[in-house]
Amino acid sequence: MREEKGMTSSGSREREIAIVGVAESDEMGTVPNKSSLQHHAEAAHNALADAGLSKNDVDGVFTAGFSTMATAEYLGIQPRFTDNTSVGGSSFVIHVAHAIAAIKAGYCEVALITHGQAGRSTRGRVPGDPNLPVAQYEAPYGMVGQPINYALACSRYMHEYGEDRARQAMAEIAVSTRKWANLNPKAAMHDTPMTFDDYHDSRYVAWPFHLFDCCLVTDSGASIIVTTAERARACRKEPVWVLGAGEGHDHNLISMMPSLTSLIARETGPKAMAQAGISHDDIDLTMIYDSFTYTVMLTLESLGFCGPGEVADFVAGQRTAPGGDFPLNTNGGGLSYSHPGMYGSFLLVEAVRQLRGEAGDRQVHRKGTNDQNPQISLVNGTGGSLSSTGTVVLGTG
């Protein structure tokens, strides 16, 4: 019998809630013949199979972007609990904490967190609500999309800490992330290497962002199954435990962001780590939402891995690439693996696979070892215009 309760490396937390299944949709990249709901369904089916469960076991449905009613109906599930919290790409990381709360309150027992989006095949300008603040106060002045919004914030960072240092960090992150994608057969850029020259020579999208500072736009889906320790005992694979979680958002409009060089991860990260009873030194793998290279830079600083303006030194020398001592975004990230529009679910999928030792050529190891699977992973999702954050700490054992 597996032990459903135990301690973290610092010896402080019981194991109560586990992730027992993760998966992507069958096809990823450019899939013009499949709808967003089909990606939802494939990912959910695959994650349930990974857990050794069926859709009849699911009594809680969590998603964003799509209505949980439409999603559950398409999947043939009648949930006892439903959560459609939608705060951008961080939503699915935040759903983990919501699933924990629902399970502990007795509202559900097996929670399906699912996302699917034909982000590439259904691209097009969608009319917005003219009454929303963004339409009234930002769009008339050219703030009409995330590349522009994030570029605005990045330009402020360059003003405060230096353009050369910022560009150094951006290039290091883009190139190292592509190297991870080259090891991932499911990555859109699996067969496309990137050099530093390739990065610097790529066209500008919105200054100061080059093309390779920006995430992909793909078709894909991903799902995660969360359940109790008791149910986890009967699942196919060893559970990955949720040890801590934090969530929050501090603005909607980029023009209302309290500081363009600091994310609310500065609050959610310490909260999640304190719940888990860990420090930065305990973390073997870090998965950070990379909608843009700047998102990663700001997140690393806001989570406390380095100080404000210090990220260029922190990631220097391909430290986050394969073979480096700080493995980061080991699936290739939103920059080089997949990004259908919202990405947080994919962070969780990769973290679980790495903790299980299922990552193949890109498998990383516990700090200080060459053969032991990682034990602790920090997952951080960002949504909106650097607006929302969900942080989760996952562990094994």
Side-chain angles (χ1 to χ4, degrees):
M1 179 184 296
R2 296 183 189 134
E3 289 187 5
E4 69 270 22
K5 293 187 178 182
M7 299 292 176
T8 66
S9 58
S10 60
S12 62
R13 303 301 297 175
E14 292 183 340
R15 270 66 165 151
E16 299 177 288
I17 305 293
I19 294 176
V20 295
V22 295
E24 304 107 326
S25 52
D26 294 342
E27 296 178 274
M28 302 169 62
T30 303
V31 193
N33 61 317
K34 290 184 178 179
S35 69
S36 296
L37 278 174
Q38 284 177 286
H39 288 289
H40 265 287
E42 291 177 359
H45 173 83
N46 295 339
L48 287 165
D50 186 57
L53 298 170
S54 76
K55 68 177 184 179
N56 296 328
D57 294 303
V58 175
D59 56 359
V61 174
F62 300 70
T63 193
F66 257 85
S67 162
T68 48
M69 291 187 294
T71 304
E73 178 184 66
Y74 191 83
L75 296 174
I77 295 170
Q78 181 178 320
R80 293 194 297 125
F81 184 84
T82 185
D83 186 334
N84 204 188
T85 298
S86 188
V87 287
S90 65
S91 301
F92 311 98
V93 181
I94 288 173
H95 287 160
V96 174
H98 292 194
I100 292 171
I103 291 169
K104 287 187 174 181
Y107 293 132
C108 65
E109 198 171 8
V110 177
L112 168 66
I113 301 169
T114 182
H115 176 52
Q117 195 169 357
R120 185 171 185 84
S121 296
T122 59
R123 290 186 69 191
R125 185 173 294 277
V126 179
D129 183 343
N131 297 311
L132 288 175
V134 66
Q136 298 182 62
Y137 303 117
E138 289 191 347
Y141 303 97
M143 306 303 294
V144 292
Q146 300 300 39
I148 296 171
N149 293 351
Y150 280 64
L152 171 72
C154 186
S155 66
R156 179 65 197 186
Y157 186 97
M158 288 181 167
H159 173 75
E160 292 187 13
Y161 300 114
E163 180 178 343
D164 289 345
R165 285 177 57 76
R167 289 199 180 280
Q168 174 191 343
M170 293 157 71
E172 290 280 359
I173 290 165
V175 172
S176 66
T177 307
R178 180 64 60 85
K179 288 179 180 178
W180 285 113
N182 295 154
L183 298 176
N184 183 0
K186 294 185 177 183
M189 296 298 180
H190 171 62
D191 297 321
T192 310
M194 182 200 299
T195 66
F196 282 97
D197 286 341
D198 292 332
Y199 166 82
H200 289 294
D201 292 341
S202 65
R203 65 180 174 86
Y204 280 110
V205 173
W207 192 93
F209 289 158
H210 287 278
L211 176 65
F212 296 140
D213 288 307
C214 306
C215 68
L216 304 169
V217 181
T218 63
D219 306 322
S220 53
S223 291
I224 302 98
I225 312 295
V226 182
T227 191
T228 63
E230 183 178 3
R231 289 296 295 262
R233 290 201 303 264
C235 290
R236 288 186 61 232
K237 297 178 179 179
E238 290 290 327
V240 169
W241 303 101
V242 185
L243 306 180
E247 66 180 85
H249 48 80
D250 59 4
H251 67 282
N252 178 33
L253 301 177
I254 189 67
S255 58
M256 297 300 292
M257 188 172 179
S259 168
L260 294 172
T261 61
S262 178
L263 281 174
I264 198 171
R266 64 187 175 273
E267 298 178 16
T268 64
K271 178 181 177 182
M273 293 171 64
Q275 284 184 3
I278 67 163
S279 69
H280 291 90
D281 291 339
D282 296 313
I283 298 168
D284 301 310
L285 168 69
T286 305
M287 296 296 299
I288 288 177
Y289 202 116
D290 56 342
S291 45
F292 300 89
T293 52
Y294 181 60
T295 315
V296 181
M297 293 166 56
L298 211 55
T299 305
L300 286 169
E301 292 184 357
S302 297
L303 288 173
F305 286 103
C306 57
E310 296 178 356
V311 71
D313 298 323
F314 186 81
V315 301
Q318 291 290 274
R319 185 184 182 194
T320 63
D325 67 356
F326 191 87
L328 175 71
N329 294 343
T330 53
N331 55 0
L335 294 172
S336 290
Y337 154 63
S338 187
H339 192 294
M342 292 188 285
Y343 178 69
S345 54
F346 296 90
L347 296 166
L348 293 160
V349 170
E350 177 68 5
V352 169
R353 285 181 174 153
Q354 286 282 357
L355 292 171
R356 288 174 173 175
E358 298 175 346
D361 290 341
R362 64 187 188 279
Q363 182 64 51
V364 301
H365 300 105
R366 185 181 179 188
K367 279 184 180 178
T369 74
N370 294 318
D371 55 358
Q372 296 180 30
N373 292 336
Q375 289 189 331
I376 300 290
S377 177
L378 184 144
V379 177
N380 191 90
T382 302
S385 297
L386 296 166
S387 309
S388 64
T389 293
T391 307
V392 169
V393 177
L394 304 177
T396 61

